[in-house]
């Protein structure tokens, strides 16, 4: 298999693991982010309401979209990341740095690789998350959409490509800033482990991949959570004033929420996110690393 195909396949494995582990927490987060102030007293109140009113399967509402879409997104994300890492590794070898293989990338190189991965991922993750959020927040008794394909068809028919990509500018900001930090944290922890023990990457204990992934996840959300909240509001807002549009732009959304709900609104739903993060991100990197070992032994060659 080519390096690119291995990267994409391993990324898909990580993406599927992320969705299966993180989806129940994600729907609680989205409901809390998008509900009017005072709807829920906390995470348990929100989760209990979903369970009581919609049943346990509601926690996986809209899962088909992220299972297919996030699998593709994370595949693209890791494919772009590994491509960028190999690019910098070749440059490092030419300059006589970065260790024997050149893969001991510097902080700025890792941040640049993460930003590249985030932007590449954002092209797909924007519409995928938009459709998922529409399904997660619609009425259980009188749903607007019967499923992801129905949502795509109706939104595209009424609003075109711009409707599908609603909230895309905020999504790209979130992905680029977040994944720059995300992959910097993970790769630096992995570098530390490899250097400290004098081992190859494929010899690192899989439990460490889970631990490092969990830490990277917390670094990610520490940077992007308020941006993610704005994205959720934009992607559940009306498409025009005629169908209840509240926000004219991302900046207008920030100003409106600050004025009407206060600064606390920007961290609403953070609880389920912090609980979800170590499990979902640990599973992502574990799935990726194990798939890479299975497919290539994770032999790092520029």
């Amino acid at each position: 298999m080519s390096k690119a195909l291995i990267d994409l396949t391993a990324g898909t494995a990580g993406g599927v693991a992320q969705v299966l582990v993180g989806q129940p927490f994600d729907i609680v987060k989205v409901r809390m982010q998008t509900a009017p102030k005072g709807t829920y007293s906390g995470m348990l109140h929100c989760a209990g309401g979903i369970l009581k009113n919609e049943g346990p399967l509601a926690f996986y509402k809209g899962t088909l979209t992220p299972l297919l879409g996030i699998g593709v997104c994370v595949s693209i994300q890791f494919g772009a990341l590994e491509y960028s890492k190999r690019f910098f590794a070749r440059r490092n070898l030419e300059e006589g740095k970065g260790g024997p293989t050149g893969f001991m990338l510097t902080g700025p190189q890792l941040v640049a690789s993460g930003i590249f991965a985030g932007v590449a991922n954002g092209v797909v993750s924007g519409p995928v998350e938009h459709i998922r959020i529409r399904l997660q927040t619609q009425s259980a008794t009188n749903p607007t959409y019967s499923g992801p394909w129905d949502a795509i068809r109706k939104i595209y028919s009424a609003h075109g490509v711009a409707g599908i990509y609603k909230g895309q500018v905020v999504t790209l900001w979130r992905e680029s800033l977040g994944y720059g930090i995300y992959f910097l944290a993970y790769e630096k922890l992995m570098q530390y482990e490899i250097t400290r023990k004098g081992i190859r990457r494929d010899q690192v204990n899989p439990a460490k991949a889970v631990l490092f992934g969990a830490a990277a996840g917390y670094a990610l959300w520490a940077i992007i959570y308020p941006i993610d909240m704005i994205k959720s509001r934009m992607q559940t807002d009306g498409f025009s004033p005629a169908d209840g549009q509240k926000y004219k732009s991302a900046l207008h959304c920030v100003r409106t929420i600050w004025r009407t709900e206060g600064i606390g609104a920007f961290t609403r739903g953070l609880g389920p996110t912090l609980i979800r993060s170590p499990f979902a991100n640990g599973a992502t990197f574990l799935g990726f690393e194990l798939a890479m070992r299975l497919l290539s032994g994770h032999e790092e060659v520029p």
Side-chain angles (χ1 to χ4, degrees), residues 207-287:
K208 291 295 179 71
V210 175
L211 181 63
F212 298 160
Y218 279 128
L220 169 78
W221 286 109
I223 296 296
I224 71 165
Y225 194 81
I227 304 174
D228 184 71
M229 184 268 185
I230 296 301
K231 182 189 77 70
S232 293
R233 290 293 185 96
M234 294 289 292
Q235 291 184 330
T236 53
D237 193 22
F239 291 93
S240 67
D243 58 10
Q245 185 181 38
K246 299 177 184 176
Y247 312 117
K248 300 175 184 177
S249 66
L251 184 58
H252 181 237
C253 181
V254 172
R255 288 173 173 169
T256 301
I257 294 169
W258 184 287
R259 185 180 69 253
T260 60
E261 301 177 50
I263 194 170
F266 293 97
T267 57
R268 191 182 301 157
L270 184 59
T273 301
L274 295 180
I275 295 173
R276 169 191 180 272
S277 181
F279 299 105
N281 290 292
T284 301
F285 281 104
L286 178 63

Side-chain angles (χ1 to χ4, degrees), residues 1-298:
M1 293 176 71
S2 69
K3 291 186 180 71
L5 186 56
I6 289 172
D7 296 340
L8 293 171
T9 303
T12 300
V16 170
Q18 179 186 115
V19 172
L20 293 177
V21 172
Q23 183 71 0
F25 298 100
D26 190 70
I27 191 170
V28 175
K29 179 202 75 170
V30 169
R31 292 287 182 90
M32 292 183 71
Q33 284 181 331
T34 57
K37 185 177 182 180
T39 302
Y40 304 113
S41 60
M43 177 184 67
L44 293 179
H45 182 215
C46 179
I50 294 171
L51 182 63
K52 179 181 178 181
N53 299 322
E54 302 173 51
L57 292 180
F59 290 102
Y60 280 92
K61 185 183 290 186
T63 298
L64 178 61
T65 307
L67 196 58
L68 297 175
I70 300 301
V72 173
C73 289
V74 179
S75 175
I76 293 170
Q77 183 186 116
F78 277 102
L81 175 77
E82 295 298 316
Y83 176 86
S84 183
K85 284 169 59 181
R86 285 194 293 271
F87 169 79
F88 283 121
R90 288 192 294 270
R91 288 188 59 182
N92 286 346
L93 285 176
E94 291 171 1
E95 297 172 9
K97 58 186 182 182
T101 63
F103 273 97
M104 287 294 180
L105 271 57
T106 65
Q109 288 174 334
L110 289 170
V111 170
S113 297
I115 291 172
F116 177 60
V119 171
N121 169 60
V123 174
V124 180
S125 69
V128 166
E129 293 195 15
H130 178 207
I131 298 302
R132 176 176 64 175
I133 287 173
R134 292 284 176 187
L135 293 172
Q136 287 177 333
T137 57
Q138 69 177 345
S139 169
T141 55
N142 187 29
T144 304
Y145 311 111
S146 61
W149 307 120
D150 185 52
I152 292 169
R153 181 179 61 80
K154 287 180 177 176
I155 292 171
Y156 179 77
S157 176
H159 308 287
V161 174
I164 297 293
Y165 274 90
K166 186 173 176 61
Q168 186 64 15
V169 172
V170 186
T171 298
L172 290 175
W173 273 107
R174 185 195 71 167
E175 304 291 65
S176 58
L177 293 174
Y179 286 111
I181 297 299
Y182 186 59
F183 288 115
L184 170 67
Y186 181 80
E187 292 292 335
K188 278 299 181 183
L189 288 168
M190 188 63 78
Q191 285 182 12
Y192 174 76
E193 182 73 3
I194 291 169
T195 303
R196 185 173 69 90
K197 293 188 175 179
I199 57 178
R200 301 189 311 272
R201 187 173 182 125
D202 62 307
Q203 294 174 317
V204 173
N205 189 323
K208 291 295 179 71
V210 175
L211 181 63
F212 298 160
Y218 279 128
L220 169 78
W221 286 109
I223 296 296
I224 71 165
Y225 194 81
I227 304 174
D228 184 71
M229 184 268 185
I230 296 301
K231 182 189 77 70
S232 293
R233 290 293 185 96
M234 294 289 292
Q235 291 184 330
T236 53
D237 193 22
F239 291 93
S240 67
D243 58 10
Q245 185 181 38
K246 299 177 184 176
Y247 312 117
K248 300 175 184 177
S249 66
L251 184 58
H252 181 237
C253 181
V254 172
R255 288 173 173 169
T256 301
I257 294 169
W258 184 287
R259 185 180 69 253
T260 60
E261 301 177 50
I263 194 170
F266 293 97
T267 57
R268 191 182 301 157
L270 184 59
T273 301
L274 295 180
I275 295 173
R276 169 191 180 272
S277 181
F279 299 105
N281 290 292
T284 301
F285 281 104
L286 178 63
F288 174 75
E289 295 287 352
L290 292 181
M292 287 293 280
R293 293 179 191 188
L294 179 65
L295 295 171
S296 68
H298 213 305

